Amino acid sequence: MKPVNKNDRLTVHVEDLTHDGAGVAKVDGYPLFIPGALPGEDVSVHVLKTLKSYGFAKLIEIQQASPFRVTAPCPVFDTCGGCQIQHLSYEGQMTFKRKLVRDAITRIGKLPDVPVHPVKGMEDPWRYRNKSQIPFGTQDGKVVAGFYQPRSHDIADTDTCLIQTPEADAIMVALKNNLVEIGIEPYEEATHRGMLRHVVVRKARATGEIMVVLVTKKKKFAHSARAIELIQATVPEVTSIVQNINHEKTNVIFGDETVTLWGKDVIEDRIGNVRFEISARSFYQINPIQTEILYGQALEYAQLTGQETVIDAYCGIGTISLFLAKQAKFVMGVEIVPQAIEDAKRNAELNGLTNTLFEAGPAEQVIPRWYKEGKQADVLVVDPPRKGCDEQLLRTILKQRPSRVVYVSCNPATLARDLRILEDGGYRTKEVQPVDMFPQSTHCEAVAWLELEK
């Protein structure tokens, strides 16, 4: 029998946070998830739903507040799904994220003795995003733009986002206020009507170059000239305006076709002393300041002397690969997205690096073939998506046994799972360094250093 029932009102003590930022309290061992509550707080709640193993409750009153509680500065924090923990001080966020990584390594990876260092955070954890993806729509006959509400595709209308650039704010507001006058109809996902689906704004931190991508339902864009004029008048620093066409009934942002409407096809940025050309659909880390820290950590763990051959699995547009190539004998990168590999090759050429090889295809297929061809790696770097490394790739690592593995992760749970597999296969995890790439959210990246046991 459950110790609580729907519509109960009770006072509970919050012990923890979930991965999506909800407070966790336990009533006779039964977890209640409470959005808005923080660890250490005593709160009054209204039970909304009870399942067999856990329930959900609404925060009614904070009776004893956490010393880390702050007032969220964003006016739409309560309705926007972009940030989950603005109400937690940045010191509190760092504490939470370290615990998140350490708990996963201990509970899932069964590695309680592996050092998990304090999180490397930001001096100023605001306005850090170099890419904003802004949906447009209508509500009650009014054009709206902003970001989606939690677990929905309803737009939380706003004029500012405190984690994106001021230029993205300005372009969002200008388009929102002038779409009707220009003659462009916002897209409606439910009916598949309208023209403008998203506006994507990318800013290169090192050069200041700005790209604006107008994602439209159709290629024929009758009022594109007026949109271009408005964007240029709003933010004169814009160097590229691009149209991406997405015909499909989907919530995926980008379609397959991209055309340049005005200016350059790419913008250029730098991370450290490595240059990158970024196109509309290039994968590029969102937080440029922390990216340099993240990749610097990966480079430190790789311990390159200039004599090593390195394989970079999931290499994207070559960001980590080119960092490594500055200090390695040779670097081979593999990525499943062909356009990303073309970007990587171009970026290697841009930096004058001739000690690289990039190939498109699944890492779990390409890397075993490389080994058969005699392309052995001393160091292997993996930076997989949230689902972690493919099982076949892990088997390849254990079969080929490079002396060192550097694992860059955006998901502590799958990192811990994969570390356990590698540990069982003869590797030892030396340490893990969390890096805060996404302040104000619950996401945390981490870099793990593994050595083959002699």
Side-chain angles (χ1 to χ4, degrees), residues 103-114 416-417 420 423:
D103 286 355
I105 299 298
T106 300
R107 180 175 53 85
I108 301 171
K110 304 292 190 293
L111 298 168
D113 298 325
V114 169
R417 178 202 68 198
R420 181 68 268 163
E423 286 260 344

Side-chain angles (χ1 to χ4, degrees), residues 81-278:
C83 299
Q84 301 86 41
I85 50 175
Q86 278 193 19
H87 59 310
L88 182 61
S89 71
Y90 197 53
E91 180 185 357
Q93 291 181 32
M94 296 298 92
T95 300
F96 161 67
K97 292 186 179 187
R98 184 187 188 188
K99 183 177 185 299
L100 186 72
V101 175
R102 188 168 52 201
D103 286 355
I105 299 298
T106 300
R107 180 175 53 85
I108 301 171
K110 304 292 190 293
L111 298 168
D113 298 325
V114 169
V116 177
H117 298 298
V119 180
K120 290 187 176 181
M122 300 188 71
E123 289 185 16
D124 180 9
W126 302 99
R127 298 289 187 186
Y128 60 83
R129 290 185 65 96
N130 59 15
K131 181 173 77 168
S132 301
Q133 300 180 147
I134 307 164
F136 277 67
T138 58
Q139 291 174 3
D140 300 323
K142 174 188 172 186
V143 178
V144 295
F147 299 92
Y148 291 127
Q149 297 179 27
R151 295 172 294 281
S152 85
H153 271 222
D154 295 329
I155 295 172
D157 187 36
T158 186
D159 288 344
T160 187
C161 172
L162 299 179
I163 61 171
Q164 73 179 12
T165 63
E167 292 88 350
D169 280 353
I171 291 166
M172 173 177 69
V173 171
L175 285 169
K176 183 168 62 172
N177 291 343
N178 291 279
L179 274 189
V180 174
E181 181 184 335
I182 289 175
I184 299 173
E185 185 180 359
Y187 178 74
E188 293 298 327
E189 189 176 308
T191 62
H192 197 51
R193 296 181 59 184
M195 184 65 170
L196 184 66
R197 301 175 71 126
H198 277 78
V199 173
V200 179
V201 182
R202 308 189 76 148
K203 181 178 180 180
R205 179 173 177 266
T207 64
E209 294 182 345
I210 298 172
M211 173 183 285
V212 180
V213 186
L214 304 173
V215 184
T216 61
K217 188 179 81 171
K218 298 178 181 178
K219 185 171 183 178
K220 187 177 179 182
F221 195 3
H223 302 286
S224 61
R226 298 185 69 186
I228 291 169
E229 290 174 4
L230 176 62
I231 292 167
Q232 291 173 323
T234 303
V235 181
E237 296 84 0
V238 168
T239 55
S240 171
I241 301 177
V242 173
Q243 179 189 8
N244 176 267
I245 301 94
N246 185 351
H247 307 279
E248 303 299 323
K249 290 183 179 180
T250 177
N251 56 19
V252 174
I253 294 175
F254 285 116
D256 293 331
E257 185 178 4
T258 303
V259 294
T260 301
L261 300 176
W262 175 87
K264 304 197 304 179
D265 297 334
V266 298
I267 57 175
E268 184 177 315
D269 201 3
R270 292 188 302 274
I271 302 174
N273 61 354
V274 183
R275 299 164 63 194
F276 297 98
E277 287 186 345
I278 307 161

